[in-house]
Amino acid sequence: MRYAILFLCLAARWVCLEAQVLDDFADGELSANPPWFGDTADFEVMSERLWLNAPSQTDTSWVSTLIPAPDSAVWEASLRLDFNPSGSNYFRWYLLATEPDLKAAAEAYYIQVGGSSSDRVSFCHFASGSESVLWESAADAVDLDTVSLRLRVKYFDGSWT
């Protein structure tokens, strides 16, 4: 099985008072406007959507793009998983991370869909080698063969909603 770790993707929209990043993938590629880094060969853009197209194996695939550290921000994404998430096959959407290489980030905030036996959507903070769950949905919220979600996260003055 494989799981995807994505950073601001799947039609993600990010807005900041100081700067703005928007990628609706209308240009059909990952190399510019904005440039994406990571396992770009494992992803493709089709019909203005980012698709994971990695080999079926136990591995991690991710892409990220650089953004300035925000004072306030809004992230939005439409997400479709054509599988039932599990403890070993799940999705992570990193909102902020200290490094563009997500495997090396010392601190990060992310949304996770699946990843445990309780089939939840979770908002997590990772720092100093430890994960904290800041919010999570009811159990079995994503215990479905196909998961479709629209996610929106706001950050303002040190608070997340």
Side-chain angles (χ1 to χ4, degrees):
M1 292 188 172
R2 66 174 181 242
Y3 58 96
I5 296 179
L6 306 174
F7 179 76
L8 293 174
C9 57
L10 296 171
R13 295 185 179 130
W14 177 82
V15 180
C16 178
L17 296 176
E18 296 176 8
Q20 184 168 264
V21 173
L22 168 66
D23 199 344
D24 59 8
F25 301 103
D27 60 3
E29 48 86 24
L30 298 174
S31 62
N33 301 319
W36 291 85
F37 309 96
D39 301 318
T40 56
D42 290 350
F43 294 86
E44 62 185 318
V45 178
M46 295 185 313
S47 303
E48 298 182 6
R49 292 186 180 263
L50 183 64
W51 295 82
L52 176 63
N53 191 20
S56 183
Q57 60 190 13
T58 303
D59 202 359
T60 301
S61 294
W62 62 274
V63 291
S64 68
T65 192
L66 299 175
I67 62 170
D71 292 325
S72 63
V74 176
W75 293 265
E76 294 179 337
S78 295
L79 169 68
R80 179 184 165 111
L81 305 176
D82 289 332
F83 60 90
N84 188 327
S86 67
S88 62
N89 196 12
Y90 56 90
F91 170 84
R92 276 191 185 169
W93 177 32
Y94 282 78
L95 305 173
L96 294 174
T98 55
E99 298 291 328
D101 179 347
L102 301 175
K103 295 177 186 176
E107 184 175 6
Y109 288 90
Y110 58 87
I111 302 286
Q112 183 167 302
V113 180
S116 71
S117 60
S118 56
D119 293 314
R120 299 177 188 267
V121 177
S122 305
F123 177 55
C124 302
H125 177 237
F126 176 82
S128 304
S130 177
E131 178 184 87
S132 300
V133 177
L134 304 175
W135 173 89
E136 62 185 357
S137 69
D140 299 325
V142 293
D143 186 13
L144 304 164
D145 290 336
T146 300
V147 176
S148 293
L149 298 171
R150 180 150 174 91
L151 303 170
R152 181 182 175 122
V153 180
K154 293 181 184 181
Y155 175 77
F156 179 73
D157 199 25
S159 296
W160 295 88
T161 55

